[in-house]
Each structure stands twice: as structure tokens, then as C-alpha cells.
Amino acid sequence: MDAGAVVFPRKPTRRIMVGDVPVGGGAPITVQSMTITKTADAEATLQQIYGLAAAGADIVRCTCNEPEAAEGLARIVPRSPVPIVADIHHNYRRALEALEAGVHCLRLNPGNIRRPEHIKAVAQEAKDRGVPIRIGVNGGSLDEDLYRRYGNQVTPEAMVASALQEIAYFEEVDFDLIKISVKASNVPLMIEAYRQLSEVTDHPLHLGVTEAGPPPAGIVKATAGIATLLAEGIGDTIRYSLTSDPVDEARLGRVLLESYGLRERKNVDLIACPSCGRAEIDVYKVAQEAQDAFADRQIPLQVAVMGCVVNGPGEARDADLGIAAGNKRGHLFVKGTNVAVVPEDEMVSTLVEWAEFITREGMEAAMERAKATRDVARKAADEDRRRNLDDRGDDANATERLVELLRKQRS
Ligand code: SF4
């Protein structure tokens, strides 16, 4: 089945513009990440922003925690390849300075800036400049009053109430360029808070599991929260919050959206078989080499690395191209058709070369190119398939022997 035929209907939201990037209102879901440099160091921060943009970030957030950070933002914004969001902590003056520096969006945490007159002053200034604000509710820094009101615990209801209270302040100055997040490190809490929030507001939602931690557990937690909501049609922009290189955050966000069919594919989608008793190569090693070789190359194809030519081309027939191991050689196939045979140590470089060719010239041109080699390739694949079956039989994983053994033990 063509996975692209399955779509998750999205809940309608209003649209805001973060610089020139639309968020909400049916716009493509965007990926965000955050720099970890000192914002005052404009050159180092810009270098990181460029890295994040190359890895798939559409919008980047920088902290604005000191007057020097606001000065850094003034230097960063005109040279940034993507819109910049200023993250404001406790001092509303930093928000006013960030707006003056030209940022494209602010992020305020209602738990940190509490005085209504300060919130309204920021909203008024943002309104005058047409700059949106993210209301970033965080389970770990929930407003004390709300915490007490909801039984001295962080509940989805308390988080939603915090967001609504902040929206009410903004409405008093007639400001509605808002997006909202209700993040928590507890995945079920975060999921339920967003579900409830999406029932009571049509402002665009920014999804994330805060402080998810280092990989791999952090990736699993962030994906569990974000992916569950996306599948329910909730969410307009996402961020993986990992204790890891922020480039990983941007890449993962992009991979999640591409795998859900919510963004067009930009980089290679590498698939690989899990290996088994029939494998003719170290599949893990070759798949890792292929992953490194493709890295951030902009090749929007699904590419397969398969351990044997007996089942590889068939199991990966939906991939755009792939390579399956034979008798010390690699069998390249395009859309399930064998097109070339190469020595084992050229498997990865051949895969990259053909992937680049298809991206540049198109699939039809690749098939045309294959005409010269496909007969030889098919014959070689048949030979290696037969050889593998002769050597390892039909039961390369010895499953039938195990079944026999289990039966004997039972009798
Ligand atoms: S049968 Fe071949 S392609 Fe399938 S898992 Fe085993 S080695 Fe990989």
C-alpha cells in the first residue's frame, strides 16, 4: 500500500506568521529547535542557527536572558536564514528589548512573568509591531496560584487554565497573534493537556515534551508525545527537547514529519532489514555507513540496505532504490528491478551515486541508464540467490529445527 495515501486530518487553527513562515491554518507543520550558545555571542549563535536550518529547522529560538543577549539578537536577526524566536525568562524588559532587536516571535512563560501590567505591556508592543507571541506553559513552572487551586498538583486542567488566563490578558489589549504550548516532561500529562487545549482554542499549537532527556529514552518520550497528538490532528509546529546536540532535535523533528507524510521528503529515508541467518554482509555496519554517507545530502528518496539478494529486493520493492548483498558483491535495484552488480566494498558508494543520479535526472532516466546493465545484473542476482539457497537451504534461520526441538520436548 502506498503510505502516502493515508493522511491524518488536522484540526483547523488560525494562522500566524513567524517572520515569513506560516504557522497554523493548514500551513505545513514546522520544525523548531533552540540554540545552546550564548546569544550575546552572535557569530557562534549564527553558526549554530545555520547548522539547525541545514538539518531541517524552520524556526529557531534563542534565549534572551540578559541585555547583551538582546544586543546579540539585533546582530543575529538580519543574518539568520530562518525566523528567530526570543525566549524570555523572568524579566519582561528583555521581551521589549528583543522586539526592538527585530525578532520574529517571542516566547513567554506565564509561570515566570506574572504581573498582568508587564504581560500587557509586552503584548501591546508586540501588537504594534505585528509580532506573534508563544504562550509557553510549562508543567514544571506552573503559576503557584493555579498549582494550589488544582489540588497542589500539575494537572492538564491547570495547564490549560494557565494558557487561557494568559490569553485573557492579551485579549485585553486586543492582541491575538498567539500560539500556545502546554509542555510537560510527563508524556500522558502533556498529551492530555494538549487534547484539552485544542478543544477550547483555535490558536495554533506548538508541541513538545519538555526536558525529555538524553537519547535514546528522550527521543522515545518526545516522539510518544508529539506523534500521538499529530496522529490526532493536533499540532502546528513541533520541537524535540533533548539533552543532545540541537542539530539532532531538528533532524528528528523533520524525520517524524516526513515519516507521517506531513512534510515533503527532503533527506534520504534509509530503511534496512533487521538481518538474519541468510545475511551475506554485516547489515548494521553497512546501514550505518550508508547513513553516514547520505548524512544531510538533500536526496528525497527512500533507500534500502538489505542483507541478502534472496529476499532483499522483494522485501524492499517499494523503496526507490536499494542494494542487497550477494556472494561478496552488491546487487543494486531500482523500484525492485535489478539494475547493476558491484563489488561488496563499493555497495555504499554505488548507492549514493545512483541516488544522486535519480535526484538529478529522474526515475525514467535511471531506468534508461539501467538498460545497458540490467540483464547482466539480473543474471548475477539469480546466481547469488540460488547459491544462497543451496548453501543455507530454505530455512536459513533454523526455525524449523527449533520448532522440531520444541515439539520433541513437549512429547
Ligand atoms: S532474509 Fe535477507 S533481507 Fe530479509 S532479514 Fe534476512 S538478510 Fe535481511
Side-chain angles (χ1 to χ4, degrees):
M1 185 179 64
D2 177 7
V6 179
V7 287
F8 299 124
R10 292 174 59 190
K11 291 201 173 174
T13 52
R14 301 185 209 182
R15 177 171 295 190
I16 59 166
M17 294 299 294
V18 178
D20 58 359
V21 174
V23 175
I29 296 174
T30 42
V31 173
Q32 305 205 22
S33 184
M34 189 167 175
T35 52
I36 55 171
T37 48
K38 277 205 162 291
T39 310
D41 186 345
E43 292 307 317
T45 305
L46 271 165
Q47 207 173 350
Q48 197 162 70
I49 292 168
Y50 269 90
L52 292 173
D58 302 292
I59 297 169
V60 171
R61 181 158 47 118
C62 305
T63 187
C64 186
N65 56 335
E66 53 187 5
E68 294 77 14
E71 291 169 18
L73 286 171
R75 296 188 178 100
I76 291 163
V77 169
R79 292 168 58 199
S80 171
V82 290
I84 296 295
V85 182
D87 198 41
I88 310 300
H89 295 264
H90 295 271
N91 193 335
Y92 82 105
R93 286 196 188 84
R94 297 292 90 76
L96 299 175
E97 290 165 3
L99 288 169
E100 188 64 42
V103 296
H104 306 98
C105 183
L106 294 177
R107 183 264 173 160
L108 302 184
N109 179 343
N112 290 342
I113 299 181
R114 298 214 174 101
R115 290 175 64 170
E117 62 272 27
H118 290 170
I119 298 166
K120 284 185 232 170
V122 173
Q124 184 63 55
E125 187 62 28
K127 182 185 166 198
D128 292 347
R129 293 173 184 270
V131 172
I133 296 178
R134 167 157 70 95
I135 299 172
V137 177
N138 190 320
S141 55
L142 193 68
D143 182 279
E144 276 297 320
D145 293 342
L146 284 168
Y147 183 73
R148 276 196 296 275
R149 208 186 309 157
Y150 285 86
N152 290 326
Q153 54 181 334
V154 181
T155 63
E157 291 77 11
M159 293 170 71
V160 172
S162 175
L164 295 179
Q165 185 174 288
E166 196 83 348
I167 293 173
Y169 292 139
F170 288 173
E171 281 173 348
E172 281 183 42
V173 293
D174 202 20
F175 179 76
D176 66 353
L177 301 176
I178 299 166
K179 58 191 169 101
I180 314 172
S181 60
V182 279
K183 298 186 185 181
S185 51
N186 178 308
V187 177
L189 172 66
M190 165 267 184
I191 290 173
E192 186 54 25
Y194 277 104
R195 281 178 180 154
Q196 292 187 14
L197 185 62
S198 78
E199 291 294 317
V200 295
T201 183
D202 63 354
H203 289 297
L205 301 186
H206 165 123
L207 305 184
V209 174
T210 195
E211 295 129 20
I219 296 174
V220 174
K221 283 192 268 178
T223 305
I226 297 170
T228 299
L229 290 161
L230 288 177
E232 294 175 14
I234 298 170
D236 301 283
T237 182
I238 66 169
R239 182 200 169 192
Y240 273 73
S241 304
L242 299 174
T243 313
S244 172
D245 185 337
V247 164
D248 294 339
E249 297 185 353
R251 265 197 205 121
L252 289 163
R254 187 81 206 185
V255 167
L256 177 60
L257 295 181
E258 288 181 13
S259 64
Y260 262 13
L262 289 166
R263 286 292 291 269
E264 75 291 359
R265 190 173 286 150
K266 199 166 134 194
N267 296 110
V268 159
D269 175 20
L270 184 72
I271 61 171
C273 78
S275 192
C276 73
R278 205 177 281 292
E280 306 243 23
I281 46 161
D282 181 342
V283 180
Y284 301 162
K285 182 167 159 278
V286 176
Q288 186 60 52
E289 283 169 10
Q291 183 156 299
D292 295 343
F294 283 111
D296 289 329
R297 280 173 211 252
Q298 309 249 306
I299 293 177
L301 301 175
Q302 188 177 64
V303 176
V305 172
M306 307 301 280
C308 77
V309 72
V310 177
N311 294 323
E315 286 176 15
R317 83 169 70 79
D318 289 336
D320 293 301
L321 81 157
I323 200 138
N327 183 20
K328 307 232 174 311
R329 50 191 182 174
H331 300 277
L332 191 88
F333 52 93
V334 174
K335 291 284 182 195
T337 302
N338 285 88
V339 298
V341 54
V342 296
E344 192 175 292
D345 60 0
E346 291 174 22
M347 284 173 71
V348 171
S349 57
T350 306
L351 210 46
V352 172
E353 195 264 312
W354 274 75
E356 286 181 330
F357 181 90
I358 293 172
T359 306
R360 205 174 52 243
E361 311 281 339
M363 193 57 87
E364 265 183 46
M367 289 306 195
E368 194 57 36
R369 174 184 174 185
K371 276 185 181 163
T373 50
R374 68 183 179 201
D375 290 342
V376 176
R378 196 180 307 126
K379 199 159 155 278
D382 285 344
E383 275 169 25
D384 287 352
R385 195 175 291 121
R386 268 197 303 276
R387 197 201 113 270
N388 186 304
L389 285 167
D390 286 348
D391 282 1
R392 305 176 195 216
D394 290 340
D395 188 22
N397 297 313
T399 46
E400 291 313 310
R401 246 183 294 135
L402 280 175
V403 169
E404 207 47 48
L405 185 69
L406 287 168
R407 283 182 184 158
K408 262 194 206 135
Q409 284 173 353
R410 260 205 316 268
S411 60

